[in-house]
């Protein structure tokens, strides 16, 4: 287990989560009440940051930035259990720090809880599909055209923000972190367990499907 890799996961999580929360706050302030415009701003910033982070950090840690990615890589034998645990802890710790830094930048209370209710079968199905599609995108692109992984992941998330009913959290760590922000991108803490359960269901489904579609994946680093 490399300290550089753990640091990369923490730093990447921090920058990604700060982008999600910060761009959400900025978009909401500038959109004048137009939720579609606010979501578009949030979407573009998140996709752009994903491309940058994966390009920069993949050679160091694989740029998972997401416990669902780490879990499926562990299930596929690409990581040891200890490394997977360290990655997930770093993603969550770095991500929460990123949320707090976003609050600090925008001069809102650093410590807060979201009051934004996100519930219902449609949203849970949306999260399962969002996570399933993200993981298949990563595994398929890593196998068939590894240099395209940053663009593929960024473009998938941009699309999934709009085609899924949940706006594609697709990441257990960011789901927890977004519960700590009462902002455009927030989610009420009471809604977090069901979202994470849906994400884990999507992860297991992706693991099964990838075993059929991509039984071996040379170059699988993300």
């Amino acid at each position: 287990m490399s300290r550089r890799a753990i640091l990369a996961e923490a730093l990447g999580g921090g920058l990604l989560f700060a982008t999600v929360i910060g761009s959400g706050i900025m978009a909401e302030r500038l959109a004048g009440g137009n939720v579609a415009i606010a979501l578009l701003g949030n979407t573009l910033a998140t996709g752009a940051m994903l491309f940058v982070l994966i390009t920069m950090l993949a050679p160091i840690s694989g740029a998972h930035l997401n416990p669902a990615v780490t879990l499926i890589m562990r299930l596929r034998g690409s990581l040891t259990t200890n490394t997977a645990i360290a990655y997930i802890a770093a993603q969550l710790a770095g991500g929460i720090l990123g949320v707090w830094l976003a609050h600090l930048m925008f001069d809102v209370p650093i410590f807060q809880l979201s009051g934004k209710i996100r519930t219902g079968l449609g949203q849970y199905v949306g999260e399962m599909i969002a996570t399933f599609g993200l993981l298949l995108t990563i595994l398929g692109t890593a196998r068939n055209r590894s240099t395209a992984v940053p663009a593929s992941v960024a473009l998938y998330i941009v699309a999934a923000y709009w085609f899924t009913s949940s706006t594609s959290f697709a990441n257990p760590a960011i789901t927890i972190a977004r519960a700590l922000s009462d902002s455009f991108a927030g989610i009420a803490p009471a809604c977090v367990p069901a979202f994470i359960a849906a994400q884990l269901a999507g992860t297991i489904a992706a693991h099964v499907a990838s075993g059929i579609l991509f039984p071996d994946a040379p170059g699988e680093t993300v």
Side-chain angles (χ1 to χ4, degrees), residues 110-207:
I110 295 175
F111 305 108
Q112 50 184 276
L113 293 176
S114 177
K116 194 164 191 174
I117 300 298
R118 299 177 187 262
T119 189
L121 180 60
Q123 295 217 36
Y124 305 149
V125 173
E127 270 305 283
M128 184 179 69
I129 291 171
T131 308
F132 175 82
L134 173 63
L135 296 177
L136 281 189
T137 296
I138 292 169
L139 294 173
T141 310
R143 172 174 177 170
N144 297 314
R145 192 177 174 187
S146 60
T147 57
V149 170
S152 292
V153 172
L155 290 171
Y156 176 83
I157 290 298
V158 167
Y161 258 63
W162 288 85
F163 88 79
T164 64
S165 54
S166 64
T167 67
S168 184
F169 286 43
N171 182 329
I174 206 168
T175 303
I176 294 170
R178 285 167 74 159
L180 304 178
S181 182
D182 194 20
S183 63
F184 180 79
I187 177 173
C191 302
V192 167
F195 261 56
I196 292 178
Q199 292 157 2
L200 291 176
T203 302
I204 298 303
H207 178 55

Side-chain angles (χ1 to χ4, degrees), residues 1-86:
M1 186 190 311
S2 164
R3 291 183 182 177
R4 290 175 64 241
I6 303 305
L7 178 60
E9 287 297 303
L11 178 61
L15 288 171
L16 177 60
F17 295 14
T19 299
V20 172
I21 298 300
S23 66
I25 295 171
M26 177 70 84
E28 190 171 39
R29 288 180 179 180
L30 297 179
N34 189 319
V35 177
I37 295 298
L39 181 60
L40 180 61
N42 195 205
T43 301
L44 295 176
T46 302
M49 182 56 79
L50 273 170
F51 180 87
V52 171
L53 291 175
I54 295 171
T55 301
M56 176 173 63
L57 299 176
I60 302 173
S61 69
H64 294 190
L65 314 177
N66 182 340
V69 177
T70 300
L71 175 58
I72 202 167
M73 292 305 179
R74 176 63 192 94
L75 292 173
R76 289 171 67 84
S78 299
L79 295 175
T80 66
T81 298
N82 286 343
T83 298
I85 291 171

